[in-house]
Amino acid sequence: MKHTLCRSVLGVLLLASVTSALTASGADDELAAEAQKAIKALQSADTALTNLFTNAAGFAVFPSVGKGGLIFGGEHGKGIVYEKGKPIGEATLTEINVGPQVGGQSFYEVIFFETTEALADFKQSNFEMSAEVSAVAAAEGAALNAKYRNGVVVFTLARTGLMVQAAIGGQKFKYKPLN
């Protein structure tokens, strides 16, 4: 039984890392198209997010964040950064964590920036998600009660997989402007 569980977990981790690697290796046009699909999926999950996409100073959309772990875990994803609705750069998201966890998952993530200063901090490439900023699961009505903390609010929407986690770690981001 333990051997079967271990193989299943390793299979899920492999699937999550392959999904993330395939997404990361795609062309810029493919990433932009995937970001647009992610925006539509997030807006479908919660129509109130449309206001955030319209009114935020900027936002970063990660169309496929891969996450996996078995005691030690990690996340990786690549996304597009927008300012006033126009793409201005690319970003990568990484996280390494430790703690009770098992499984693998792929999800959409969007970070909204309330002010141009919050967006500028993100673009400095040393932005880290603080412990007091937690992601809100995108579901109808969730955006109505979401509050900015330190100039950001984060929404996620599961795509595939299952992850049980009580781990310690923080997302780190790197920004690269478009040419």
Side-chain angles (χ1 to χ4, degrees):
M1 180 72 174
K2 278 187 174 181
H3 199 283
T4 304
L5 178 62
C6 191
R7 281 188 178 171
S8 296
V9 168
L10 288 175
V12 169
L13 291 174
L14 181 61
L15 178 63
S17 63
V18 168
T19 301
S20 179
L22 290 175
T23 301
S25 67
D28 291 344
D29 291 342
E30 185 177 329
L31 181 60
E34 288 296 314
Q36 288 303 310
K37 285 182 192 175
I39 291 169
K40 287 179 182 165
L42 287 156
Q43 288 174 327
S44 291
D46 186 351
T47 54
L49 283 175
T50 301
N51 291 333
L52 288 173
F53 280 109
T54 303
N55 298 324
F59 53 91
V61 177
F62 297 89
S64 183
V65 178
K67 176 181 194 171
L70 179 61
I71 300 177
F72 293 99
E75 296 179 11
H76 181 75
K78 192 170 181 180
I80 303 287
V81 180
Y82 297 80
E83 185 171 17
K84 297 180 182 158
K86 297 190 188 318
I88 59 166
E90 293 182 358
T92 55
L93 170 160
T94 56
E95 177 181 344
I96 297 174
N97 54 48
V98 63
Q101 57 190 307
V102 62
Q105 185 177 37
S106 175
F107 57 93
Y108 300 113
E109 181 170 324
V110 60
I111 304 169
F112 292 101
F113 303 100
E114 183 177 27
T115 63
T116 55
E117 292 81 14
L119 178 59
D121 286 346
F122 183 85
K123 290 172 16 181
Q124 293 300 313
S125 284
N126 53 11
F127 185 85
E128 288 184 37
M129 202 67 75
S130 70
E132 58 195 48
V133 176
S134 60
V136 176
E140 193 60 50
L144 295 174
N145 298 319
K147 304 281 187 248
Y148 282 99
R149 289 208 167 97
N150 297 328
V152 301
V153 64
V154 182
F155 289 87
T156 62
L157 180 63
R159 292 176 56 145
T160 60
L162 179 63
M163 183 83 181
V164 178
Q165 179 179 21
I168 298 169
Q171 291 181 337
K172 296 182 183 186
F173 302 88
K174 296 268 187 208
Y175 171 78
K176 181 181 100 180
L178 292 176
N179 294 338

